[in-house]
Amino acid sequence: MVNEDSHLYRAHPDWVLHVPGRAPSRGRGQLVLDFSRRDVRDYIYEQMKAVLSSADISYLKWDMNRSLTDVWSAGLPARRQGEVFHRYVLGVYDLLERLHQDYPHILIEGCCGGGGRFDGGMLYYTPQIWCSDDTDAVDGLRIQYGTSFCYPVCTVGAHVSAVPNEQNGRITPLKTRGITAMSGAFGYEMDLGRCTTEEKNEIHQQVKNYKAHYDLLHYGDYYRLSSPYQDSAYTAWEQVSPDRREALVSVVFGCAGTLPLFRTLRLKGLNPALQYQADGTGSLYSGKALMNSGYPLPQVQGDYPALQIYLRAAE
């Protein structure tokens, strides 16, 4: 993007996507740089190179937070304007390819907002993506549920943020925020200096739990056990190890109600012939029973509580 009140725009007003004779469509007060043009990409790359070479930088956030509008390039004749969308995307890939060639150690996190640059091609260059600035845990259930149909858990940036949530003011338990964020590239974006001792201890335990189940979370088979769009009682998902001997089940409940129903959660992907121990207790369940009759969910109180169930095949 580029601001009109900038040296770049004043020197090169033809470097933006803009339909001749029409007032431009601005997003966040900005216009879109024409990445279908080699001269634009070369200039931007040199500016980025100066920054990336100035310090020991290992992480880069690639944010494309507005849609492409006024898709007309001054670099092509009128009869070839239909190529601009495609050439723009190829131009983005070209710039990212150069960054990877010169700075292979830098992790680039993409952002799907606005520009829609969240696709298989972008994942080649930005193996981690930021789904949304909405970090509310309940909204995150819907965001991550939809994303899971196309993209693996390890690519999805998901963070624990402070409450009340800055986007919608919702208050959710820290445990719920942690479990929801574990359904992605787990992290925190909050001021730990404002956390109580109890919260810091819980965060420490969340990180420990995430590391303990890292392989299962990121390399296990992912199963959607319920839809946050269809069942207001709870949202549940499951990760199962490739050998089907381990599983981690995550459940986030909805708003509290009086006289809650007894529910069982039917699991998926287990070995029906094996016996599974739940959370290191003495309780054993057969894989067949867990997938057909289900795991008995406990009665909970309060709004948006959550739990995780770790299952391991008995020896």
Side-chain angles (χ1 to χ4, degrees):
M1 311 308 146
V2 65
N3 295 308
E4 292 166 273
D5 184 17
S6 65
H7 295 302
L8 174 57
Y9 181 79
R10 284 188 287 269
H12 301 283
D14 58 325
W15 279 11
V16 300
L17 297 178
H18 176 59
V19 179
R22 295 186 183 180
S25 299
R26 300 175 181 86
R28 301 187 175 188
Q30 296 177 317
L31 303 178
V32 181
L33 285 168
D34 183 2
F35 267 36
S36 71
R37 297 181 55 151
R38 177 79 186 196
D39 50 357
V40 175
R41 301 196 302 271
D42 288 345
Y43 177 85
I44 296 300
Y45 179 72
E46 290 302 320
Q47 302 302 310
M48 296 181 71
K49 185 176 181 179
V51 175
L52 296 176
S53 299
S54 67
D56 183 16
I57 296 172
S58 59
Y59 168 83
L60 173 65
K61 175 71 176 293
W62 185 270
D63 207 335
M64 304 188 72
N65 245 342
R66 66 153 290 181
S67 300
L68 301 185
T69 56
D70 308 328
V71 183
W72 179 282
S73 173
L76 290 173
R79 62 183 175 81
R80 297 181 61 189
Q81 291 301 315
E83 304 174 16
V84 177
F85 257 122
H86 185 224
R87 289 182 176 274
Y88 179 95
V89 175
L90 295 180
V92 173
Y93 293 162
D94 173 63
L95 182 59
L96 287 167
E97 180 65 35
R98 288 194 244 177
L99 289 173
H100 273 289
Q101 290 295 326
D102 289 349
Y103 305 96
H105 64 285
I106 294 181
L107 169 64
I108 304 178
E109 180 181 54
C111 180
C112 63
R117 304 306 310 126
F118 179 10
D119 56 39
M122 283 299 284
L123 283 180
Y124 178 81
Y125 299 106
T126 63
Q128 182 171 306
I129 54 89
W130 184 241
C131 281
S132 175
D133 287 341
D134 183 352
T135 59
D136 171 61
V138 177
D139 287 347
L141 295 174
R142 293 185 284 269
I143 293 168
Q144 292 166 198
Y145 175 84
T147 306
S148 72
F149 281 91
C150 296
Y151 303 97
V153 167
C154 61
T155 67
V156 179
H159 291 173
V160 178
S161 60
V163 294
N165 182 266
E166 293 184 353
Q167 279 87 358
N168 58 26
R170 192 181 349 249
I171 297 176
T172 51
L174 179 57
K175 182 177 181 179
T176 300
R177 285 174 275 154
I179 289 176
T180 301
M182 284 186 199
S183 189
F186 182 69
Y188 292 84
E189 50 176 288
M190 55 196 299
D191 185 353
L192 296 179
R194 296 185 178 184
C195 294
T196 64
T197 299
E198 291 75 15
E199 289 173 329
K200 290 178 182 178
N201 290 336
E202 186 171 352
I203 288 171
H204 175 77
Q205 187 59 43
Q206 285 180 357
V207 173
K208 183 179 179 181
N209 187 44
Y210 174 71
K211 290 181 177 180
H213 297 305
Y214 183 89
D215 288 344
L216 188 55
L217 287 164
H218 288 279
Y219 303 113
D221 294 328
Y222 183 89
Y223 293 92
R224 290 170 289 274
L225 303 181
S226 68
S227 167
Y229 293 97
Q230 297 175 348
D231 191 336
S232 60
Y234 62 82
T235 300
W237 62 97
E238 176 188 14
Q239 277 105 348
V240 181
S241 63
D243 62 4
R244 299 196 293 172
R245 297 188 63 84
E246 290 181 277
L248 185 67
V249 181
S250 301
V251 185
V252 176
F253 296 89
C255 293
T258 56
L259 301 177
L261 299 174
F262 173 75
R263 295 175 180 269
T264 60
L265 179 63
R266 292 181 180 178
L267 306 187
K268 298 180 180 180
L270 303 178
N271 186 331
L274 292 178
Q275 295 286 319
Y276 291 89
Q277 190 175 49
D279 292 319
T281 66
S283 301
L284 288 175
Y285 304 86
S286 74
K288 184 177 181 180
L290 288 170
M291 291 190 290
N292 289 279
S293 299
Y295 183 90
L297 292 176
Q299 300 294 317
V300 294
Q301 291 186 321
D303 291 340
Y304 312 115
L307 61 89
Q308 280 185 324
I309 307 156
Y310 173 62
L311 299 169
R312 186 178 182 88
E315 298 300 334

